Amino acid sequence: MPRTSGRTPPAPVHYQVQAADLHAHLYRVTLTIAHPQAQQRVALPVWIPGSYLVREFAKNLQQLKARQGRRALAAVQFDKCSWQIDCDPQQPLELSYEVYAFDNSVRAAWLDATRGFFNSTSLCLRVEGQEDTPHGLSLLAGAAPANWSVATGLPAVKTDKRGLGHYRAANYDELVDCPFELGAFWSGDFKAGGVSHRFVLAGAPPSFDGTRLLADTQRICETAIRFWHAGGQATGRSGKPPFASYLFMLNATDDGYGGLEHRNSTALICARRDLPRTDSKPGEGYTTLLGLISHEYFHSWNVKRLRPAEFARYDYSQENYTELLWFFEGFTSYYDDLLLRRAGLLDDAAYLRLLNKSVNQLQQTPGRLVQSVAQASFDAWVKYYRVDENTPNATVSYYGKGALVALCLDLTLRTGGQGSLDDVMRALWQRCKAGPMAESDLLAVLQELSGRSWSREFRQWVHGTAELPLRELLEQHGVAIHEEPAQLAQRLGLRVSESGGAVQIKTVLRGGAAEQAGFAAGDEWLGLEVGSGRSRSSWRLNKLDDLLLYAGGQGRVQALVARDKRLLGLTLNLPRHVSTWRLSVQAKERVSAWLGA
């Protein structure tokens, strides 16, 4: 990170952050406002952009104190996340407080004896009325061990070799869009598109193969940059990406997965077993990790720059609604694995296996017939992150279905010889000047490229619940579709957990055999009775597959379940004709023309 010498004047809004107590998981923050208002309000965000749920970060803020010089002032809480301080506007105002940091996700803040991490949405109070002024952040060692270093995408003003020191942001938005990683992490770097990229990894096991991770990530980045800036036509700037440098921050845990995009960095989490290893070949988990890296990196263009018009200015105090998450998350989900294929990290068959999962997941979600993908985008704040037993019956994923809407648009354009979705994305980038866009912009670009209106497709695929024409389009592009018997749980219309010899019902899918029999979420399926009269027999169920063992060829069984300590007998008709898809390459040249574009 860049370092300069000499004294730098403090920013009008300045934060001093230090690891105060590793074992109590506390950061200490001192906020200095050079020119406060007479009634200065400060507030902590309730959400973080990219994760559409109100998370109430203020719940972790404590010991807030205010002073001017030696005079203590009252910080009066105004609502759940904001405070007001009556002060002298001619003197600097200083606030000090602590933040409890024990959220080991990519969304908030973490601190213990092995690692520190924070998004400034969790630590830095927003100074109302001064959001657009320069903001400074000084990171001090505090209780951090001497071997800890710092990684962040925030521009450095003056830092030491560990990364401790002073950083500066143009405004509050930039400050909170650059998370910090602290610790004794592994680090590597490479260049892509003429731009320096750095990768830091916390929690790496001894078998970790950093050389492979860097090489594969570099191929992903180069492919994404070519996608957006082929020949520099999209930007007129010699094909350079929209950031001066980029940082990947990956936290490897025993069992984790997720990512969050930022303007010139991303925070990621994965399971250690999914990392590449020097002693064995990577498995499917590593492919999933590469897909996550591809997804978050693609977001640097699609949602961080090209973004919903409703996100032209974030409101950190409440929900920010948009119907376009199916485009920004869904289309990114379409391209994440597709760019792995174009980078040579997948072959056609492996790509189709990943696509197969997405298709079957949608087809096995009854909520696709209830909720449109535009509604799902708008309802993300109350539904997507609040999964319950009825979620699959009432909702559809704007990630999953959005990706398949992108697929349908891409293949429809290719079928008509009207270009591809690649052309649409680059044209949108240019039309919207890498900034706010609306659905009307997407429709206009589609019409310009194809010479026809796409309102019917959007009415059915985006704002309606009609089935997508997946079979027709895939077959036209050389993909064979094989129908095979579904797994037993799907045939029954159930989602279960199996542990310690118990079969617990988690979800009963709408319209399935289990619902018709009267199963309910929370039931424990204890056993079944088969036959009648003298041939009647009873069996204990230890796992779901035992059903086929004991039912034999019977089409009907009596299921015994426990619900609220009551034993119930449910008549279950076993369905015979529930199928799922398996995709394969039928016409290699047509598949490669699409996937290798």
Side-chain angles (χ1 to χ4, degrees):
M1 58 188 68
R3 294 192 292 271
T4 62
S5 60
R7 192 176 186 280
T8 302
V13 177
H14 186 270
Y15 305 85
Q16 179 179 285
V17 177
Q18 61 179 313
D21 191 324
L22 304 183
H23 302 308
H25 318 292
L26 292 175
Y27 287 102
R28 181 172 296 117
V29 182
T30 301
L31 165 59
T32 303
I33 308 167
H35 307 289
Q37 298 175 5
Q39 293 182 316
Q40 182 63 63
R41 283 197 186 176
V42 294
L44 201 65
V46 302
W47 70 291
I48 181 169
S51 184
Y52 306 103
L53 179 69
V54 171
R55 298 185 183 276
E56 312 292 19
F57 297 126
K59 66 184 178 183
N60 295 315
L61 190 149
Q62 61 190 43
Q63 299 287 343
L64 177 61
K65 298 176 182 178
R67 67 173 48 252
Q68 284 187 308
R70 296 182 178 181
R71 184 166 65 98
L73 304 175
V76 179
Q77 189 158 3
F78 185 74
D79 56 27
K80 64 181 180 179
C81 63
S82 66
W83 293 259
Q84 179 172 298
I85 303 96
D86 293 343
C87 62
D88 181 355
Q90 303 303 315
Q91 296 185 45
L93 171 63
E94 181 182 285
L95 305 178
S96 62
Y97 54 94
E98 296 173 339
V99 174
Y100 177 70
F102 203 59
D103 182 335
N104 201 19
S105 72
V106 297
R107 298 178 295 266
W110 173 267
L111 183 65
D112 70 359
T114 64
R115 172 181 177 259
F117 172 83
F118 66 86
N119 290 285
S120 292
T121 42
S122 293
L123 260 65
C124 295
L125 287 165
R126 177 174 52 86
V127 180
E128 293 193 7
Q130 300 196 41
E131 293 89 347
D132 294 327
T133 63
H135 284 53
L137 188 149
S138 295
L139 187 61
L140 307 183
N147 65 337
W148 278 22
S149 297
V150 179
T152 181
L154 193 64
V157 175
K158 186 178 180 181
T159 57
D160 63 19
K161 62 182 180 180
R162 296 169 58 190
L164 296 170
H166 306 296
Y167 296 84
R168 197 174 181 96
N171 48 44
Y172 187 76
D173 282 340
E174 182 180 15
L175 176 76
V176 299
D177 208 9
C178 297
F180 281 75
E181 177 75 29
L182 298 80
F185 45 70
W186 172 90
S187 178
D189 56 76
F190 60 86
K191 282 199 171 184
V195 170
S196 295
H197 290 63
R198 185 185 183 195
F199 208 122
V200 301
L201 170 62
S207 61
F208 167 60
D209 186 348
T211 301
R212 173 152 195 168
L213 181 62
L214 285 179
D216 291 346
T217 302
Q218 182 180 29
R219 292 169 73 174
I220 292 169
C221 296
E222 290 173 341
T223 304
I225 292 169
R226 283 196 302 270
F227 173 88
W228 285 103
H229 306 296
Q233 296 175 2
T235 62
R237 297 191 312 152
S238 68
K240 291 284 188 180
F243 39 77
S245 62
Y246 194 88
L247 173 66
F248 293 94
M249 293 171 282
L250 176 59
N251 180 28
T253 65
D254 180 60
D255 187 19
Y257 177 81
L260 190 61
E261 68 277 1
H262 299 280
R263 63 181 59 198
N264 64 347
S265 65
T266 181
L268 309 164
I269 186 169
C270 77
R272 290 190 187 94
R273 61 180 174 275
D274 293 339
L275 291 169
R277 296 169 54 178
T278 55
D279 58 356
S280 62
K281 291 183 178 180
E284 290 185 5
Y286 182 53
T287 300
T288 301
L289 172 58
L290 292 180
L292 176 65
I293 290 170
S294 178
H295 183 99
E296 302 304 338
Y297 192 68
F298 197 85
H299 268 320
S300 301
W301 291 265
N302 195 40
V303 89
K304 296 312 297 183
R305 272 84 182 178
L306 193 65
R307 60 191 183 277
E310 296 89 345
F311 291 176
R313 185 67 183 260
Y314 292 122
D315 182 347
Y316 297 100
S317 68
Q318 62 182 354
E319 298 87 345
N320 290 215
Y321 293 101
T322 178
E323 288 190 345
L324 283 175
L325 295 183
W326 61 270
F327 175 84
F328 290 99
E329 292 293 354
F331 280 40
T332 300
S333 296
Y334 174 59
Y335 277 108
D336 55 22
D337 288 336
L338 187 54
L339 292 190
L340 295 187
R341 163 63 183 84
R342 294 180 184 175
L345 298 170
L346 294 175
D347 59 20
D348 291 347
Y351 174 80
L352 289 182
R353 285 195 293 272
L354 294 175
L355 178 61
N356 205 148
K357 292 181 181 178
S358 298
V359 171
N360 284 333
Q361 284 173 355
L362 178 65
Q363 292 178 332
Q364 294 166 6
T365 302
R368 76 188 189 282
L369 304 176
V370 176
Q371 184 187 51
S372 74
V373 74
Q375 289 174 323
S377 300
F378 195 86
D379 287 341
W381 297 93
V382 293
K383 293 187 178 182
Y384 183 78
Y385 292 96
R386 293 174 173 168
V387 177
D388 62 25
E389 72 286 344
N390 194 50
T391 293
N393 296 321
T395 69
V396 69
S397 168
Y398 51 79
Y399 284 89
K401 186 175 179 181
L404 295 177
V405 169
L407 169 73
C408 290
L409 288 174
D410 194 11
L411 297 187
T412 302
L413 286 165
R414 293 174 185 274
T415 300
Q418 300 159 333
S420 70
L421 192 61
D422 301 2
D423 303 313
V424 172
M425 300 300 287
R426 288 190 284 263
L428 274 172
W429 179 264
Q430 189 173 26
R431 174 188 176 91
C432 300
K433 297 179 174 58
M437 64 159 276
E439 185 178 303
S440 58
D441 292 306
L442 176 56
L443 283 165
V445 167
L446 283 166
Q447 183 156 355
E448 289 169 6
L449 291 175
S450 65
R452 72 171 180 87
S453 170
W454 290 75
S455 58
R456 179 178 60 86
E457 286 86 353
F458 273 55
R459 186 169 57 253
Q460 295 177 352
W461 302 350
V462 175
H463 297 282
T465 56
E467 298 283 23
L468 300 176
L470 295 167
R471 179 185 291 273
E472 172 188 353
L473 290 170
L474 288 169
E475 289 179 343
Q476 286 174 350
H477 288 269
V479 177
I481 298 174
H482 312 273
E483 294 203 12
E484 300 179 340
Q487 296 291 322
L488 179 58
Q490 187 59 35
R491 288 165 54 193
L492 296 174
L494 284 175
R495 295 181 184 177
V496 305
S497 65
E498 299 174 339
S499 178
V503 179
Q504 197 78 26
I505 308 301
K506 307 301 290 184
T507 297
V508 180
L509 297 176
R510 186 73 68 243
E515 184 186 61
Q516 294 170 8
F519 280 84
D523 288 352
E524 182 182 354
W525 194 347
L526 300 173
L528 66 150
E529 293 183 343
V530 183
S532 59
R534 293 186 176 183
S535 62
R536 190 178 189 87
S537 57
S538 301
W539 303 93
R540 178 76 168 90
L541 207 65
N542 289 320
K543 56 182 183 297
L544 189 61
D545 283 346
D546 288 347
L547 175 63
L548 298 180
L549 173 66
Y550 300 130
Q554 298 290 324
R556 176 181 296 180
V557 300
Q558 192 77 3
L560 181 64
V561 304
R563 182 186 304 166
D564 191 29
K565 303 300 182 181
R566 296 184 178 186
L567 299 181
L568 305 175
L570 307 176
T571 302
L572 175 65
N573 294 307
L574 302 180
R576 299 184 182 278
H577 303 292
V578 178
S579 63
T580 188
W581 283 11
R582 179 174 61 83
L583 307 181
S584 68
V585 176
Q586 184 173 59
K588 183 173 178 56
E589 66 285 352
R590 278 186 281 162
V591 171
S592 295
W594 156 38
L595 299 182

